[in-house]
Amino acid sequence: MRQDVAGKLRAISGEDWVVTDPAGVASYVKDETEHAIAPMPCYDCVVVKPKDSQEISGILKYANDEKITVVARGGGTGCAGAVVPIKPSIIIALERLNKIVEVDDKNMMVECEAGVTLSDLEETFTHHDSLFFPVHPGDEGAQVGGMVVQNAGGVRAVRHGVMRNHIKGLEVVLPTGEIIRTGGKLMKDNTGYDLTHLMIGSEGTLGIVTKVILKLYPKTTNSGSLLISFDDKKAAVEVVPKILREGIVPLAIEYLERDFMLRSAEDLGLQWPAQKGIVDLYFILVEPKEEDLLEISSRIVEICEANGAVESLIAETAKEQRAILEIRSHGYPSVKSQVVDILDVAIPVGNLSEYMNGVDELAAKYGAHIPSFGHAGDGNIHNFIMTETGEKPDNYEALSDDLFKLAISLGGTITAEHGVGKIRNRKLGLQYSQKHLEIMKGIKRVFDPNNILNPGTGIGCVD
Ligand SMILES: Cc1cc2nc3c(=O)[nH]c(=O)nc-3n(C[C@H](O)[C@H](O)[C@H](O)COP(=O)(O)OP(=O)(O)OC[C@H]3O[C@@H](n4cnc5c(N)ncnc54)[C@H](O)[C@@H]3O)c2cc1C
């Protein structure tokens, strides 16, 4: 990185907020992507921690004039290498933009700065008497800005959808340095192209989000959970559309392969409560009235038992629910050293059983081990490509291509919530036509004529 860059950044953000020492920079160049497929980070970077959008505007104007690459950094919890700089870059860390600006009870909205973490947001609404924000991806270190541009989802998407469904307005600093506001606390807004929604899922390539307005919802106090076991993966996923068709919308329907859960439970010194079957569906239910909760629970058990369930357990106490969730959350860490890639495809829920069959067939064809768990209720089951050592097998590219083609052939998508980042760009052509790709590149050029913002991410490196 050029010597004068740090000096200019110090002039904008102050001496204390610029990091140039190699150890300091090293902690800002990686994310949570599996090491076998993660992009190679460039360490020749300088980190700056601006205090507000004005400083970010100054940095971007300077970088754009000098054609220096910039990467915005949120919590660094991404799983697609989006935040990893691959060229000498200015890394703009958003951590000082950490204020909740306003909780607007009357309009049921919260305005916050982009560096507010999911944990801060959860904490705010734990203490609020009647409102909450529903989206909850699995790592509470994620920042709201990162969740916006990654269009994060998570287990509660069955009922509440993804970030896109709750973002009402943004403040964004464009790569050329101008600050714009989009949307507002509105229920309707039909004025021109929707720039708010263009920013959502843009993976830090179109602008730096500095403020966000999110919609809030009344808290629902009655919750319960069910763990229902099956002998057969196909039978398990086939009940999902049957339940949804009855108008039952659980908070979450998670698909949990038993091997995964047993290993995780053993790791934690806990016991997985189900004994029978090879795969479980875990339902989290939240209803305004207790009687509705009981009625819906019974109906789910009935539907599952009519479709081959071999055991149904109700997690009655908060302690039982916590233990199941703890084991579920530890499922990934318990196998992390062997994971090569976590696929993030989504399939229409009615086609899940065909997809799971197809995955088994491809696993057999390639001699691969591909256990799965994830969000069955919204068709986003994560398939884990694993090896003993966690290193890529020789046939990794062919196997992952076939898995993506399978998903696409069933009306699916190659990434539901983790994003394209720097690991799926070369796969975009499997899903999109040349025309799609051309339109997306054109949009990128309009926002970022000098291609300074996070190049190599998303559509960025498909030529
Ligand atoms: C254990 C674990 C579980 C997870 N579970 C889920 C899950 O259930 N659902 C889900 O959707 N994801 C999940 N994730 C992925 C991750 O948490 C989300 O993608 C999250 O939205 C990333 O936010 P971040 O702040 O960490 O972003 P980062 O990783 O810091 O950045 C991601 C991208 O966003 C850009 N960016 C960050 N902040 C801004 C900003 N303010 N303006 C512009 N660009 C910005 C970066 O440049 C980069 O391109 C999980 C991750 C882990 C480690």
Side-chain angles (χ1 to χ4, degrees), residues 355-388:
Y355 177 70
M356 296 308 282
N357 274 346
V359 171
D360 282 348
E361 281 166 22
L362 289 172
K365 176 177 164 191
Y366 285 95
H369 181 43
I370 316 180
S372 304
F373 78 88
H375 321 308
D378 54 39
N380 177 208
I381 294 181
H382 300 297
N383 312 109
F384 286 59
I385 299 180
M386 292 171 57
T387 56
E388 273 304 311

Side-chain angles (χ1 to χ4, degrees), residues 32 71-79 82-83 94 114 137-139 142-143 145-147 149-150 152-154 203-204 207-209 375 417-418 454:
E32 294 293 329
V71 178
R73 181 161 180 108
T77 68
C79 299
V83 80
L94 277 303
D139 191 323
Q143 295 180 359
M147 289 165 60
V149 301
Q150 294 302 114
E203 303 197 68
I208 299 189
V209 174
H375 321 308
E417 55 179 23
H418 293 168
N454 210 353

